[in-house]
Amino acid sequence: MNDTAGHLEPFGVDIDLLTGAMKDPDSYKCTVASTMIPYYADTEAIKRLVETQDDPVHYEVFEKDVPEAEGHIRICISKLLPGKVGEEFFMTKGHYHTVLETAETYLCIAGEGFLLMKTTDGRCLWEPFRPGRLVYCPSSWAHRSINTGPAPLVSLCHYPANAGHNYGDIVKEGFPKRCFDRSGTPVFQ
Amino acid sequence: MNDTAGHLEPFGVDIDLLTGAMKDPDSYKCTVASTMIPYYADTEAIKRLVETQDDPVHYEVFEKDVPEAEGHIRICISKLLPGKVGEEFFMTKGHYHTVLETAETYLCIAGEGFLLMKTTDGRCLWEPFRPGRLVYCPSSWAHRSINTGPAPLVSLCHYPANAGHNYGDIVKEGFPKRCFDRSGTPVFQ
């Protein structure tokens, strides 16, 4: 960002198309396992993970700063580590946008998994992630990444900069489906 | 797009992260050399190219259909062929957005070149394209791709779906700078 009036100069940012690493991000957000305790089915398993692994990183977000105003586009790299809590695959908290009428795209650069999506009236769908797969999450759908592979799941996200994030509903409601490893196969149930 | 009311279901689309090819685009736009005659400095050279090469493809756009309304995001692949008109590198027509307060991002997947940008008050800047380089074109900046390499320049573009395209001004005004091959080096002048 170039000034306080919300004006923005053209800029470029390098993203490694094999690993998804962003060079020189403006901001970095780290979510550790202890903040994920309310989200998994097996509360004891996530608590054990926090204790035995010294509250490890669960996922990271690398961003370029643009004004949070209409017409601008926010871009970030989301990196979700691999692993399981019991048999449930690692996932992000998930969120609605505060401005419901805003979409988001996820371009998977590395790893594999799913984008799990739900509406407030109970619909629930998921789209697979694999390198090169762009998933379009339309307006009004909450969304959560799930990593079903052995390596980090890394996606480049684009969304309207005025979208905002609403995490609160997800803690209360959860998603209608969870993704478990059943004998080596990801199963939603 | 899933219905006429502008509602959209989640979807995915595969993009080859080496070549930039989009699988199963919903629409395809092709710009041929004859429509580029007003844009190049050397009018005779572009006319010769049209005649001797049977009006070849100059650039192509592959798109997924989403409603052209606020909150949605349009995604497309832009593929600009390599070549020169005299010493001037192949380029796209360039455009402003009809809704000026809308940004656009270009993620270069293959090839090399520049995104040339200008404002209505005469400012002009350019950002390099190389694989993995994401260029952010802010609100109000007209933009044009230029291919300075030996292979197609392929970019994945994201922009607010209500942006619209305004090509008319560019035909009249042009850009303050052009990009020429001067003894093997791209030079803006």
Side-chain angles (χ1 to χ4, degrees):
Chain A
M1 207 179 316
N2 301 78
D3 64 31
T4 52
H7 294 122
L8 197 61
E9 290 289 288
F11 67 86
V13 54
D14 284 300
I15 294 164
D16 187 312
L17 293 180
L18 286 176
T19 65
M22 179 189 280
K23 196 173 172 184
D24 299 326
D26 292 325
S27 68
Y28 167 73
K29 291 176 197 161
C30 177
T31 299
V32 292
S34 58
T35 67
M36 298 298 298
I37 291 172
Y39 293 90
Y40 287 100
D42 188 337
T43 307
E44 292 312 309
I46 179 72
K47 284 183 176 169
R48 260 198 317 276
L49 187 150
V50 171
E51 283 163 24
T52 58
Q53 296 182 35
D54 198 20
D55 200 7
V57 172
H58 211 66
Y59 58 95
E60 300 170 290
V61 176
F62 304 85
E63 281 188 290
K64 293 304 287 184
D65 284 346
V66 303
E68 292 184 3
E70 218 176 291
H72 298 283
I73 301 167
R74 285 193 78 84
I75 53 172
C76 69
I77 290 287
S78 162
K79 180 180 180 180
L80 171 59
L81 295 183
K84 287 178 282 186
V85 174
E87 293 190 331
E88 192 174 5
F89 287 108
F90 276 14
M91 59 189 183
T92 60
K93 291 177 179 175
H95 60 270
Y96 287 102
H97 289 164
T98 309
V99 178
L100 276 173
E101 286 301 311
T102 50
E104 183 160 352
T105 66
Y106 282 70
L107 175 66
C108 178
I109 296 177
E112 57 192 286
F114 295 91
L115 190 68
L116 179 64
M117 293 166 274
K118 68 157 189 167
T119 59
T120 49
D121 55 1
R123 296 187 63 207
C124 185
L125 291 172
W126 47 95
E127 279 284 339
F129 277 139
R130 51 183 175 260
R133 182 79 173 176
L134 186 148
V135 176
Y136 191 101
C137 177
S139 296
S140 306
W141 289 77
H143 41 286
R144 155 184 288 174
S145 295
I146 299 170
N147 185 347
T148 60
L153 173 66
V154 187
S155 302
L156 170 64
C157 307
H158 279 77
Y159 58 96
N162 63 320
H165 293 78
N166 173 4
Y167 295 97
D169 291 356
I170 309 293
V171 180
K172 283 181 286 183
E173 300 171 8
F175 278 71
K177 299 280 186 182
R178 295 175 175 276
C179 188
F180 296 98
D181 182 350
R182 302 301 191 205
S183 308
T185 303
V187 172
F188 285 90
Q189 55 191 177
Chain B
M1 208 180 314
N2 300 79
D3 64 32
T4 52
H7 293 123
L8 198 61
E9 291 289 288
F11 66 87
V13 54
D14 284 299
I15 294 164
D16 187 312
L17 293 181
L18 285 177
T19 65
M22 178 189 281
K23 197 173 173 185
D24 300 326
D26 292 325
S27 67
Y28 167 73
K29 290 176 197 161
C30 177
T31 299
V32 292
S34 58
T35 67
M36 298 300 296
I37 291 172
Y39 294 89
Y40 287 100
D42 188 338
T43 306
E44 292 312 307
I46 179 71
K47 284 184 176 170
R48 260 198 316 277
L49 186 150
V50 170
E51 282 163 25
T52 59
Q53 297 182 35
D54 198 20
D55 200 7
V57 172
H58 211 66
Y59 59 95
E60 301 170 289
V61 176
F62 305 84
E63 281 188 289
K64 292 305 286 184
D65 284 346
V66 304
E68 293 184 2
E70 219 177 291
H72 298 283
I73 301 168
R74 285 192 78 83
I75 53 171
C76 70
I77 291 287
S78 162
K79 180 180 180 180
L80 171 59
L81 296 183
K84 287 178 283 184
V85 173
E87 293 190 332
E88 192 173 5
F89 287 109
F90 276 13
M91 59 189 183
T92 61
K93 291 177 180 175
H95 61 269
Y96 288 101
H97 288 164
T98 309
V99 178
L100 276 173
E101 286 302 311
T102 51
E104 181 160 353
T105 67
Y106 282 70
L107 175 66
C108 178
I109 296 178
E112 58 191 285
F114 295 92
L115 190 68
L116 179 64
M117 294 167 273
K118 67 156 189 167
T119 59
T120 49
D121 56 359
R123 295 187 64 206
C124 185
L125 291 172
W126 48 95
E127 279 284 340
F129 276 138
R130 51 183 175 261
R133 182 80 173 176
L134 187 149
V135 176
Y136 192 100
C137 177
S139 296
S140 307
W141 290 76
H143 41 286
R144 154 183 288 174
S145 295
I146 299 170
N147 185 347
T148 60
L153 173 66
V154 187
S155 302
L156 169 64
C157 307
H158 279 77
Y159 57 97
N162 63 320
H165 292 80
N166 173 4
Y167 295 97
D169 292 357
I170 309 293
V171 179
K172 284 180 287 183
E173 300 171 7
F175 278 71
K177 299 280 185 182
R178 295 176 175 277
C179 187
F180 296 98
D181 181 352
R182 301 302 192 203
S183 309
T185 303
V187 173
F188 285 89
Q189 53 192 180

